[in-house]
Amino acid sequence: MIKERWNDLADVKDELANRDWFMGTSGNLAIKVNDHPLQFLVTASGKDKRKRTDEDFLLVDEFGHPVEQTHLKPSAETLLHVEIYRKTNAGCSLHVHTIDNNVISEIYGDQGVVTFKGQELIKAFDMWEEDATLKIPIIRNYAHIATLAAEFSEHISGDTGAILIRNHGITVWGRTAFEAKKILEASEFLFRYQLRLLEHKPSPNI
Protein backbone atom coordinates (compact mmCIF):
# COMPACT_ATOMS: atom_id res chain seq x y z
CA MET A 1 0.00 0.00 0.00
CA ILE A 2 2.67 2.52 0.98
CA LYS A 3 4.66 1.87 -2.20
CA GLU A 4 1.57 2.42 -4.34
CA ARG A 5 0.68 5.65 -2.54
CA TRP A 6 4.29 6.82 -2.78
CA ASN A 7 4.25 6.36 -6.53
CA ASP A 8 0.88 8.11 -6.84
CA LEU A 9 2.18 11.15 -4.98
CA ALA A 10 5.50 11.12 -6.84
CA ASP A 11 3.63 11.16 -10.16
CA VAL A 12 1.61 14.18 -9.04
CA LYS A 13 4.77 15.91 -7.84
CA ASP A 14 6.46 15.33 -11.20
CA GLU A 15 3.51 16.76 -13.10
CA LEU A 16 3.20 19.85 -10.91
CA ALA A 17 6.96 20.37 -11.08
CA ASN A 18 6.71 20.40 -14.87
CA ARG A 19 4.22 23.25 -14.49
CA ASP A 20 6.85 25.12 -12.42
CA TRP A 21 4.58 25.29 -9.36
CA PHE A 22 7.35 24.56 -6.81
CA MET A 23 9.48 27.69 -6.98
CA GLY A 24 12.16 27.95 -4.30
CA THR A 25 11.31 24.47 -2.89
CA SER A 26 7.89 25.89 -1.91
CA GLY A 27 4.75 23.79 -1.72
CA ASN A 28 3.96 20.46 -0.11
CA LEU A 29 1.95 17.35 -0.96
CA ALA A 30 0.39 14.59 1.10
CA ILE A 31 -1.43 11.32 0.52
CA LYS A 32 -3.18 9.11 3.06
CA VAL A 33 -1.82 5.61 3.66
CA ASN A 34 -3.92 4.41 6.63
CA ASP A 35 -7.13 5.52 8.31
CA HIS A 36 -6.71 3.71 11.64
CA PRO A 37 -4.29 4.82 12.83
CA LEU A 38 -4.11 7.87 10.61
CA GLN A 39 -0.85 7.86 8.67
CA PHE A 40 0.08 9.74 5.54
CA LEU A 41 3.04 10.50 3.33
CA VAL A 42 4.08 14.14 3.19
CA THR A 43 6.85 15.94 1.35
CA ALA A 44 10.13 16.34 3.20
CA SER A 45 11.05 19.94 3.95
CA GLY A 46 13.54 21.81 1.78
CA LYS A 47 13.76 19.29 -1.07
CA ASP A 48 14.05 20.17 -4.75
CA LYS A 49 10.70 18.93 -5.99
CA ARG A 50 11.88 18.93 -9.61
CA LYS A 51 13.94 15.84 -8.76
CA ARG A 52 12.62 12.37 -7.92
CA THR A 53 14.46 10.68 -5.05
CA ASP A 54 13.92 8.10 -2.31
CA GLU A 55 13.76 10.90 0.25
CA ASP A 56 10.97 12.98 -1.28
CA PHE A 57 8.37 11.89 1.29
CA LEU A 58 8.16 10.55 4.81
CA LEU A 59 5.41 8.79 6.72
CA VAL A 60 3.81 10.79 9.55
CA ASP A 61 1.10 10.12 12.12
CA GLU A 62 -2.09 11.90 13.16
CA PHE A 63 -0.04 14.64 14.82
CA GLY A 64 2.25 15.18 11.83
CA HIS A 65 5.19 13.45 13.54
CA PRO A 66 7.44 10.98 11.69
CA VAL A 67 6.36 7.37 12.23
CA GLU A 68 9.92 6.09 12.07
CA GLN A 69 13.31 7.47 13.06
CA THR A 70 14.54 9.67 10.20
CA HIS A 71 16.78 12.63 9.47
CA LEU A 72 14.05 14.03 7.24
CA LYS A 73 11.81 16.83 8.47
CA PRO A 74 8.11 16.99 7.53
CA SER A 75 6.97 20.02 5.58
CA ALA A 76 6.33 23.07 7.75
CA GLU A 77 2.63 22.98 6.80
CA THR A 78 2.05 19.32 7.63
CA LEU A 79 -0.54 20.36 10.23
CA LEU A 80 -2.80 21.66 7.44
CA HIS A 81 -2.88 18.18 5.93
CA VAL A 82 -3.56 16.73 9.40
CA GLU A 83 -6.67 18.90 9.69
CA ILE A 84 -7.94 17.79 6.28
CA TYR A 85 -7.57 14.08 7.05
CA ARG A 86 -8.96 14.52 10.55
CA LYS A 87 -12.16 16.19 9.34
CA THR A 88 -12.84 14.56 5.94
CA ASN A 89 -12.50 11.34 3.96
CA ALA A 90 -10.01 12.98 1.62
CA GLY A 91 -7.16 10.80 0.43
CA CYS A 92 -4.82 13.43 -1.01
CA SER A 93 -4.06 17.10 -0.38
CA LEU A 94 -1.85 19.49 -2.32
CA HIS A 95 -0.42 22.91 -1.48
CA VAL A 96 1.28 25.13 -4.07
CA HIS A 97 2.40 28.75 -4.31
CA THR A 98 1.79 30.35 -7.70
CA ILE A 99 1.82 33.97 -8.80
CA ASP A 100 -1.82 33.72 -9.87
CA ASN A 101 -3.15 32.32 -6.60
CA ASN A 102 -1.12 34.84 -4.58
CA VAL A 103 -2.40 37.81 -6.59
CA ILE A 104 -6.00 36.57 -6.41
CA SER A 105 -5.68 36.11 -2.64
CA GLU A 106 -4.49 39.70 -2.26
CA ILE A 107 -7.12 41.23 -4.54
CA TYR A 108 -9.98 39.49 -2.71
CA GLY A 109 -8.32 39.04 0.68
CA ASP A 110 -10.29 41.76 2.44
CA GLN A 111 -13.52 40.03 1.35
CA GLY A 112 -12.32 36.73 2.74
CA VAL A 113 -13.54 34.84 -0.33
CA VAL A 114 -13.25 34.74 -4.10
CA THR A 115 -16.42 33.75 -5.96
CA PHE A 116 -16.90 32.18 -9.38
CA LYS A 117 -20.16 31.64 -11.22
CA GLY A 118 -21.06 30.45 -14.69
CA GLN A 119 -17.65 28.88 -15.27
CA GLU A 120 -17.31 25.43 -16.84
CA LEU A 121 -14.34 24.49 -14.63
CA ILE A 122 -16.54 24.68 -11.53
CA LYS A 123 -17.58 21.14 -12.45
CA ALA A 124 -14.21 19.93 -11.18
CA PHE A 125 -15.65 20.60 -7.71
CA ASP A 126 -18.65 18.32 -8.41
CA MET A 127 -20.88 21.34 -8.95
CA TRP A 128 -23.08 20.56 -11.95
CA GLU A 129 -25.98 22.98 -11.56
CA GLU A 130 -26.32 25.55 -14.33
CA ASP A 131 -26.24 28.44 -11.84
CA ALA A 132 -23.67 26.89 -9.49
CA THR A 133 -21.53 29.29 -7.48
CA LEU A 134 -18.09 28.37 -6.21
CA LYS A 135 -16.70 30.21 -3.20
CA ILE A 136 -13.06 29.68 -2.22
CA PRO A 137 -12.25 31.01 1.27
CA ILE A 138 -9.21 33.25 1.81
CA ILE A 139 -7.64 33.17 5.26
CA ARG A 140 -4.90 35.20 6.91
CA ASN A 141 -1.33 33.96 6.57
CA TYR A 142 -0.40 33.38 10.21
CA ALA A 143 3.32 32.80 10.77
CA HIS A 144 2.54 30.48 13.69
CA ILE A 145 1.64 27.19 12.00
CA ALA A 146 -0.62 25.92 14.81
CA THR A 147 -2.64 29.16 14.61
CA LEU A 148 -2.77 28.88 10.82
CA ALA A 149 -3.93 25.27 11.08
CA ALA A 150 -6.70 26.21 13.53
CA GLU A 151 -7.99 28.96 11.23
CA PHE A 152 -7.63 26.69 8.21
CA SER A 153 -9.61 23.94 9.92
CA GLU A 154 -12.64 26.19 10.37
CA HIS A 155 -13.07 26.39 6.59
CA ILE A 156 -12.77 22.67 5.82
CA SER A 157 -16.03 21.08 4.71
CA GLY A 158 -16.58 18.05 2.53
CA ASP A 159 -14.22 15.48 1.07
CA THR A 160 -13.16 17.88 -1.70
CA GLY A 161 -12.31 21.53 -1.44
CA ALA A 162 -9.88 24.42 -1.67
CA ILE A 163 -8.68 27.19 0.65
CA LEU A 164 -6.47 30.15 -0.19
CA ILE A 165 -3.97 31.51 2.31
CA ARG A 166 -3.44 35.21 1.64
CA ASN A 167 -0.15 35.93 -0.14
CA HIS A 168 0.92 32.37 0.55
CA GLY A 169 -0.73 29.73 -1.61
CA ILE A 170 -3.63 27.36 -2.11
CA THR A 171 -4.37 24.04 -0.44
CA VAL A 172 -6.76 21.63 -2.15
CA TRP A 173 -7.93 18.14 -1.31
CA GLY A 174 -9.82 15.27 -2.90
CA ARG A 175 -10.68 11.64 -2.34
CA THR A 176 -7.84 10.52 -4.63
CA ALA A 177 -4.63 11.98 -5.99
CA PHE A 178 -6.30 12.42 -9.37
CA GLU A 179 -9.24 14.30 -7.87
CA ALA A 180 -7.02 16.59 -5.81
CA LYS A 181 -4.91 17.40 -8.88
CA LYS A 182 -8.07 18.06 -10.90
CA ILE A 183 -9.30 20.55 -8.29
CA LEU A 184 -5.92 22.25 -8.19
CA GLU A 185 -5.78 22.60 -11.97
CA ALA A 186 -9.34 23.93 -12.10
CA SER A 187 -8.60 26.46 -9.34
CA GLU A 188 -5.51 27.75 -11.08
CA PHE A 189 -7.45 28.03 -14.36
CA LEU A 190 -10.15 30.07 -12.63
CA PHE A 191 -7.59 32.35 -11.00
CA ARG A 192 -5.82 33.01 -14.27
CA TYR A 193 -9.14 33.58 -16.04
CA GLN A 194 -10.23 36.05 -13.37
CA LEU A 195 -6.98 37.98 -13.56
CA ARG A 196 -7.21 38.17 -17.34
CA LEU A 197 -10.81 39.32 -17.05
CA LEU A 198 -9.82 42.08 -14.63
CA GLU A 199 -7.37 43.41 -17.19
CA HIS A 200 -10.24 44.05 -19.60
CA LYS A 201 -13.22 44.49 -17.30
CA PRO A 202 -12.32 46.17 -13.98
CA SER A 203 -15.56 45.24 -12.24
CA PRO A 204 -16.59 41.77 -13.46
CA ASN A 205 -19.97 40.47 -12.35
CA ILE A 206 -19.24 36.87 -11.40
Side-chain angles (χ1 to χ4, degrees):
M1 173 68 79
I2 189 170
K3 181 65 174 178
E4 181 181 352
R5 293 293 176 264
W6 182 291
N7 289 333
D8 288 344
L9 197 58
D11 287 344
V12 171
K13 182 176 73 69
D14 289 348
E15 187 169 342
L16 301 186
N18 287 335
R19 296 174 182 266
D20 204 20
W21 285 356
F22 294 130
M23 293 182 182
T25 75
S26 66
N28 44 83
L29 318 174
I31 194 166
K32 190 190 295 181
V33 174
N34 295 312
D35 283 301
H36 306 289
L38 173 61
Q39 294 180 335
F40 60 94
L41 291 166
V42 67
T43 41
S45 181
K47 296 291 184 179
D48 184 351
K49 297 177 182 66
R50 295 176 178 84
K51 299 178 180 179
R52 190 161 180 161
T53 75
D54 293 335
E55 294 191 338
D56 289 337
F57 315 116
L58 66 157
L59 191 66
V60 298
D61 61 19
E62 61 183 319
F63 304 106
H65 300 149
V67 172
E68 301 175 347
Q69 187 71 26
T70 177
H71 68 279
L72 299 174
K73 182 180 178 182
S75 169
E77 285 126 6
T78 296
L79 288 181
L80 303 186
H81 302 287
V82 167
E83 291 301 317
I84 290 169
Y85 299 137
R86 185 176 66 83
K87 297 187 68 173
T88 77
N89 292 314
C92 183
S93 45
L94 312 172
H95 174 75
V96 301
H97 307 191
T98 69
I99 293 173
D100 289 342
N101 68 42
N102 271 250
V103 174
I104 282 289
S105 75
E106 178 61 16
I107 291 174
Y108 295 95
D110 289 345
Q111 300 176 30
V113 65
V114 57
T115 304
F116 300 95
K117 186 175 182 179
Q119 295 297 315
E120 183 69 15
L121 267 290
I122 289 176
K123 292 177 180 177
F125 290 78
D126 286 333
M127 302 177 73
W128 299 90
E129 300 83 1
E130 187 171 347
D131 58 349
T133 299
L134 171 66
K135 294 180 179 291
I136 298 180
I138 304 170
I139 66 173
R140 179 180 168 186
N141 183 24
Y142 293 95
H144 185 246
I145 297 300
T147 302
L148 177 63
E151 173 73 11
F152 181 88
S153 182
E154 292 183 9
H155 297 273
I156 297 173
S157 63
D159 297 336
T160 62
I163 297 173
L164 277 164
I165 304 171
R166 189 167 183 172
N167 281 327
H168 181 151
I170 189 172
T171 301
V172 305
W173 61 94
R175 287 167 286 250
T176 64
F178 174 79
E179 186 172 53
K181 183 170 68 73
K182 177 181 68 172
I183 291 171
L184 178 59
E185 291 172 342
S187 298
E188 291 294 330
F189 173 93
L190 291 167
F191 299 154
R192 181 164 295 189
Y193 167 86
Q194 180 67 0
L195 292 174
R196 187 69 60 85
L197 189 64
L198 288 173
E199 292 177 3
H200 303 284
K201 188 179 180 182
S203 300
N205 182 22
I206 65 169

